[in-house]
């Protein structure tokens, strides 16, 4: 796979009993590919005796201005356990460059950040970047099991001291306060309902936070969500399926990087595979339609899903589709990455 780069581990930081930050050295010639926006993630190829490798996404917890490329991983299962236990300084690992759409369109706004557990990772990058480059106010509501499991506790306290008028951090400690319910999150978020909201954490926390914001009347377009889950496929091992000669095609129009392209699209081929086969530089990471990196907008026509992914009803309503898993239904389809 063309985009895979082998990175070297420069530093391993013990954040909590269960979480490690890994800082990578980017090899000469790949700096531009590893430039990232706060909120984006890397995809790591984790070796496995059982399957050769597994692919896991990890959000960048560093901010671009810090001049480092760092992910933070909480040990929960096979892949994260391997990262936390086996990755040492000097180790090499195959990585796909930064991807993802959990990014702020402008850092110059007021932010409402809602994070739980390892969900702090992309939120931390956005928070630090907004404080450094923006001028707005930032509120972070951060839920954790107990005080010992708060990742970046000291760094957050230092940031509050450095930006007293701009950053407010509200810690929610479950061992003391119970699970953060939608009702409690509604109360905490109410004064900030006019802001752009960024959410990341375990599924029950995300559900509660979304309910709270809906009740508060925060419009859907101002609520940004990053869902953590494990990829079921492996983009490091995949090659696009060949297309039989003489296959029926649809006509595809793509707006990408300021240009419009029109190509024939074989009906059995997934959109992302076809764009890459046509030499178009469409963004992607997992190649399955699970990680959101390949998202584009369906402008006209109809496409169908090939796998059993569960689409987000609100994304569908907004016309967002995941090209890694879509084939044409209508004879004409138009999509846009703009
Ligand atoms: C966009 C995005 C960003 C993310 N960012 C972060 C982040 O910043 N920090 C973070 O901690 N997490 C993050 N995640 C979640 C992360 O990608 C993983 O889902 C999480 O670490 C759990 O993976 P795991 O392999 O440890 O656990 P699981 O996925 O629960 O592992 C169990 C799976 O591994 C398989 N397995 C077990 N043993 C083996 C073996 N020997 N070989 C092969 N397979 C085996 C099992 O069959 C099972 O399917 C993010 C996810 C996404 C999509």
């Amino acid at each position: 796979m063309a985009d895979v780069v082998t990175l070297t581990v420069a530093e391993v930081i013990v954040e909590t009993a269960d979480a490690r930050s890994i800082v990578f050295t980017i090899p000469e010639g790949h700096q531009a590919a590893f430039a990232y926006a706060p909120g984006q993630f890397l995809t790591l190829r984790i070796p496995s005796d059982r399957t050769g490798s597994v692919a896991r996404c990890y959000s960048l917890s560093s901010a671009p201005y810090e001049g480092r490329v760092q992910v933070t991983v909480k040990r929960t299962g096979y892949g994260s356990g391997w990262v936390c236990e086996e990755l040492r300084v000097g180790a090499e690992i195959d990585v796909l460059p930064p991807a993802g759409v959990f990014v702020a369109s402008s850092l110059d706004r007021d932010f409402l950040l809602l994070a739980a557990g390892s969900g702090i990772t992309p939120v931390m990058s956005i928070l630090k970047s907004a404080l450094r480059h923006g001028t707005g106010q930032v509120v972070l509501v951060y839920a954790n099991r107990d005080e010992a499991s708060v990742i970046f506790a000291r760094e957050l306290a230092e940031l509050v001291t450095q930006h007293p008028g701009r950053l407010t951090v509200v810690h929610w400690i479950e061992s003391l306060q119970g699970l953060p319910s939608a009702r409690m999150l509604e109360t905490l978020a109410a004064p900030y309902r006019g802001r752009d909201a960024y959410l990341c954490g375990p599924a029950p926390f995300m559900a509660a936070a979304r309910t709270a914001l809906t009740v508060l009347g925060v419009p859907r377009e101002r609520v940004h969500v990053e869902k953590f889950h494990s990829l079921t496929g492996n983009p490091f091992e995949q090659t696009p399926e060949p297309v039989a000669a003489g296959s029926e095609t649809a006509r595809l129009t793509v707006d990408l990087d300021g240009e419009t392209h029109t190509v024939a699209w074989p009906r059995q081929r997934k959109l992302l595979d076809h764009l890459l086969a046509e030499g178009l530089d469409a963004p992607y990471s997992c190649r399955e339609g699970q990680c959101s990196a390949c998202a584009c907008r369906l402008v006209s026509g109809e496409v169908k899903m090939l796998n059993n992914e569960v689409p987000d009803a609100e994304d569908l309503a907004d016309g967002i589709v995941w090209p890694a898993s879509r084939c044409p239904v209508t004879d004409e389809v138009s999509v846009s990455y703009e």
Side-chain angles (χ1 to χ4, degrees), residues 223-240:
V223 180
H224 309 269
V225 172
E226 185 71 304
K227 294 177 191 160
F228 280 7
H229 55 77
S230 294
L231 303 183
T232 48
N234 188 334
F236 295 99
E237 317 284 348
Q238 274 171 0
T239 45

Side-chain angles (χ1 to χ4, degrees), residues 102-123:
F102 185 66
V103 295
S105 56
S106 162
L107 292 170
D108 235 353
R109 303 192 172 182
D110 293 338
F111 286 89
L112 169 60
L113 307 174
L114 299 165
S118 58
I120 189 62
T121 306
V123 166

Side-chain angles (χ1 to χ4, degrees), residues 41 48 50-51 54 56-59 72-74 76-81 118 121 226-230:
F41 63 88
S48 157
R50 207 204 276 176
T51 56
V54 295
R56 294 287 183 262
C57 304
Y58 292 106
S59 303
T72 301
V73 179
K74 184 165 182 181
T76 53
Y78 174 70
S80 55
S118 58
T121 306
E226 185 71 304
K227 294 177 191 160
F228 280 7
H229 55 77
S230 294

